Amino acid sequence: MNKDVIIACDFNSKEETLNFLDHFKEEKPYVKIGMELFYAVGPEIIYAIKQRGHRIFLDLKLHDIPNTVKKAMAVLSSLDIDMCNLHAAGTIAMMEAAMEGLTRSDGSRPMLIAVTQLTSTSQERMEQDLMIQAPMQEVVMHYAENAKKAGLDGVVCSPLEASAVKKVCGCQFLTVTPGVRFADGEKGDQIRVTTPAKARELGSDYIVVGRPITQAADPVCAYQRCIKEFLG
Ligand code: C5P
């Protein structure tokens, strides 16, 4: 299994994104493109980044009726991305349909992972707004099991949930974890943070790191530090 650091390119223009990636001369980091950049620029941003030799995680978190998600996934699979995602809350039927849509005629497909409960959702909001009364940990594990049943490759979760997910779904089931900070860095708006070294200990396969790299005075140095701490 290939563990890696994924840089969250949370910019809103092609120019800013490519200027940022210009810092990297030797290595070609795995990058995450989110809704902001994809909706601002469109599929063109995928072609531009792919042409430079980066792997891409397209983080659009799809959630709709199975047929719509299946068709949207078929479009995404033609973009030559490496990983994409959806909300496990869309049900097993929606996740199965997504897998079908994503699989190309030659049988290949990007990796597909599921968001369980967003880390911005508290136990209280889940109970009151979503009317889900079970403990958060149980809900996350149940959604992860559903993703596994539907044949997905893994989940996006907090690094703090990574080892429990592995226990329930097996060690091959991927955990992609945001909320990573250097021990001596700013937390920003993230609350439950861990360092790259701790995320490794907890069993994360991919850490998603944004501002500690994108806002660093020397982004290449910050990226290399992440790689060193995470991969050892
Ligand atoms: O800048 P920072 O390292 O906080 O960026 C983390 C990235 O991971 C952002 O793109 C954010 O949207 C994403 N993310 C997250 N928490 C989740 C899911 C995605 O921080 N639960």
Side-chain angles (χ1 to χ4, degrees):
M1 187 178 301
N2 295 328
K3 297 200 170 218
D4 212 343
V5 173
I6 301 178
I7 304 180
C9 287
D10 291 324
F11 304 111
N12 62 14
S13 74
K14 181 176 173 184
E15 194 191 9
E16 212 184 333
T17 309
L18 297 184
N19 284 345
F20 168 74
L21 293 176
D22 279 344
H23 286 108
F24 296 88
K25 309 276 184 229
E26 320 252 299
E27 54 268 276
K28 295 286 177 195
Y30 206 137
V31 301
K32 178 173 92 71
I33 306 298
M35 293 183 208
E36 181 187 12
L37 184 57
F38 191 74
Y39 294 153
V41 184
E44 183 191 334
I45 191 66
I46 305 292
Y47 304 130
I49 295 177
K50 203 66 193 178
Q51 222 171 25
R52 291 169 166 233
H54 298 269
R55 282 179 296 160
I56 299 176
F57 167 22
L58 186 57
D59 178 18
L60 298 181
K61 301 186 180 74
L62 275 67
H63 187 176
D64 208 316
I65 60 171
N67 187 54
T68 301
V69 170
K70 178 179 169 179
K71 289 182 170 175
M73 284 293 181
V75 175
L76 296 188
S77 76
S78 71
L79 294 180
D80 196 16
I81 51 171
D82 298 278
M83 190 191 296
C84 58
N85 62 358
L86 45 62
H87 274 284
T91 74
I92 294 177
M94 188 203 78
M95 291 191 271
E96 286 173 343
M99 286 290 282
E100 251 181 72
L102 200 59
T103 306
R104 304 179 185 111
S105 53
D106 65 359
S108 68
R109 63 168 175 81
M111 285 200 286
L112 181 60
I113 57 173
V115 176
T116 51
Q117 277 292 344
L118 290 169
T119 49
S120 52
T121 305
S122 64
Q123 179 73 39
E124 190 191 10
R125 297 285 31 113
M126 189 174 70
E127 287 175 12
Q128 292 183 15
D129 298 356
L130 309 181
M131 284 184 76
I132 298 173
Q133 306 303 325
M136 178 65 79
Q137 179 87 355
E138 258 178 50
V139 177
V140 169
M141 295 313 137
H142 183 61
Y143 283 18
E145 281 183 287
N146 285 351
K148 180 149 195 221
K149 276 183 200 154
L152 271 65
D153 302 293
V155 288
V156 183
C157 63
S158 154
L160 304 167
E161 292 153 1
S163 55
V165 168
K166 296 272 184 192
K167 230 174 258 165
V168 171
C169 298
C171 62
Q172 296 302 315
F173 196 67
L174 298 177
T175 52
V176 179
T177 64
V180 174
R181 291 292 180 267
F182 293 122
D184 53 3
E186 294 285 323
K187 273 191 182 178
D189 55 355
Q190 295 280 12
I191 297 171
R192 296 166 68 219
V193 300
T194 50
T195 62
K198 187 72 188 166
R200 178 186 61 185
E201 258 177 65
L202 293 169
S204 296
D205 295 301
Y206 292 90
I207 52 171
V208 177
V209 187
R211 289 160 290 181
I213 296 175
T214 58
Q215 306 301 309
D218 184 342
V220 177
C221 179
Y223 172 72
Q224 286 167 343
R225 180 178 172 193
C226 259
I227 290 277
K228 199 164 167 226
E229 287 189 22
F230 183 58
L231 299 181

